Amino acid sequence: MIKFDQVTKRYPGSNEALKNASFTIEAGELAFVTGHSGAGKSTLLKLIAAIERPTSGTVLIANQNISKLKPSAIPFMRRKFGLIFQDHKLLYDRNCFENVILPLHINGITGNEAAKRVRAALDKVGLLHKEKAMPITLSGGEQQRLAIARAVVSRPSILIADEPTGNLDASYAADIMAIFHAFHQVGVTVIVATHDALGMSTTQNRVLHLNQGQLTHTQSGLDGVHHE
Ligand code: ADP
Ligand code: ADP
């Protein structure tokens, strides 16, 4: 589903943020990307989501080389992804329902079908009873759950979350991780970047560890730890 082959990313006027990274994430996997701040986690996620292009090497998403995508094909590719960031960029002048319906409207889905999907998404994150609330009245954890509802309302096959629990108390963070586990359970490919180990300690999930742009460990629940 996602295959990196010798991928290097260098930003203009900067060192290599990612160096010769090679790995595969299969459809339906739950993978954590770990490492210190500045290790290259966001860069790796942005390459997966075709927000950034590699300086060298190839990134394949569903067998498509993202460097060879025509600009017109990129919006279509992005629909495969639900993106969640620490800074969740909610619209504070609209209520929860209106925040979540926005991506559907952008994709031309309106009316009852859109409303049904919004309520299903709010339900999955435990916020159905808050549909008319304004985001500012929600706790930090609830706001992050709202951002997740917005990211999943278009039913993406791949969920990508960059430090989704970074600003949250441990109990809220655990709620968020439980939601990601639930999406994984129903077959969604989930990739979470985190600098803390929360939510992965007891799991059998995939861990990609970065140290200064270098992938130092890729671990899978099936075959243990590989040193690259
Ligand atoms: P992490 O998510 O692990 O904190 P990043 O991928 O954000 O790491 O950053 C990796 C390295 O790339 C850092 O040294 C950072 O300063 C650099 N970097 C990230 N984004 C840019 C950018 N747009 N331009 C220049 N350098 C960048
Ligand atoms: P750093 O120099 O950034 O600390 P290392 O590659 O030396 O990077 O590893 C740092 C941390 O990664 C250690 O605390 C180690 O316990 C942890 N670690 C080791 N193996 C894994 C793994 N498979 N997945 C995630 N973290 C790991």
Side-chain angles (χ1 to χ4, degrees):
M1 152 126 321
I2 296 163
K3 187 168 163 46
F4 275 47
D5 187 23
Q6 299 280 306
V7 174
T8 292
K9 175 68 185 178
R10 187 184 301 107
Y11 292 104
S14 179
N15 290 334
E16 290 167 345
L18 196 67
K19 300 170 192 163
N20 271 321
S22 299
F23 65 88
T24 304
I25 297 175
E26 304 295 343
E29 266 195 288
L30 170 56
F32 291 94
V33 180
T34 62
H36 295 300
S37 176
K41 303 181 297 296
S42 296
T43 298
L44 189 148
L45 297 187
K46 286 175 184 164
L47 287 162
I48 293 175
I51 293 167
E52 293 287 352
R53 290 181 179 220
T55 307
S56 62
T58 46
V59 175
L60 296 180
I61 308 293
N63 291 320
Q64 284 188 295
N65 183 337
I66 63 154
S67 300
K68 300 210 169 128
L69 282 181
K70 291 191 204 112
S72 62
I74 287 178
F76 189 72
M77 235 281 299
R78 293 236 172 95
R79 279 185 215 165
K80 287 193 205 313
F81 296 103
L83 304 177
I84 297 145
F85 295 98
Q86 186 175 334
D87 155 24
H88 34 59
K89 299 193 178 82
L90 297 169
L91 300 176
Y92 287 96
D93 59 346
R94 306 197 190 191
N95 70 27
C96 290
F97 184 93
E98 291 162 342
N99 266 274
V100 177
I101 208 164
L102 210 63
L104 295 178
H105 284 173
I106 290 167
N107 289 331
I109 302 166
T110 56
N112 284 342
E113 172 63 17
K116 211 175 79 188
R117 286 210 206 170
V118 169
R119 296 206 171 94
L122 286 171
D123 192 33
K124 279 182 196 137
V125 301
L127 286 179
L128 193 49
H129 60 298
K130 296 272 188 179
E131 66 173 81
K132 295 212 171 64
M134 299 303 278
I136 200 74
T137 68
L138 304 181
S139 71
E142 286 172 335
Q143 291 189 29
Q144 190 58 289
R145 278 150 54 196
L146 183 60
I148 296 173
R150 186 184 53 187
V152 300
V153 74
S154 305
R155 298 182 186 147
S157 53
I158 307 171
L159 261 187
I160 295 183
D162 194 358
E163 300 277 0
T165 62
N167 288 331
L168 302 177
D169 291 347
S171 71
Y172 287 137
D175 288 347
I176 301 289
M177 282 302 172
I179 291 169
F180 289 129
H181 279 281
F183 283 109
H184 166 59
Q185 292 296 323
V186 297
V188 178
T189 307
V190 182
I191 305 166
V192 181
T194 176
H195 65 267
D196 63 39
L198 192 113
M200 42 179 260
S201 50
T202 60
T203 61
Q204 293 281 297
N205 301 303
R206 197 64 196 290
V207 178
L208 304 175
H209 184 73
L210 283 165
N211 183 21
Q212 298 182 355
Q214 219 124 30
L215 205 47
T216 58
H217 317 270
T218 68
Q219 174 185 304
S220 84
L222 296 176
D223 54 5
V225 178
H226 303 290
H227 292 269
E228 306 275 311

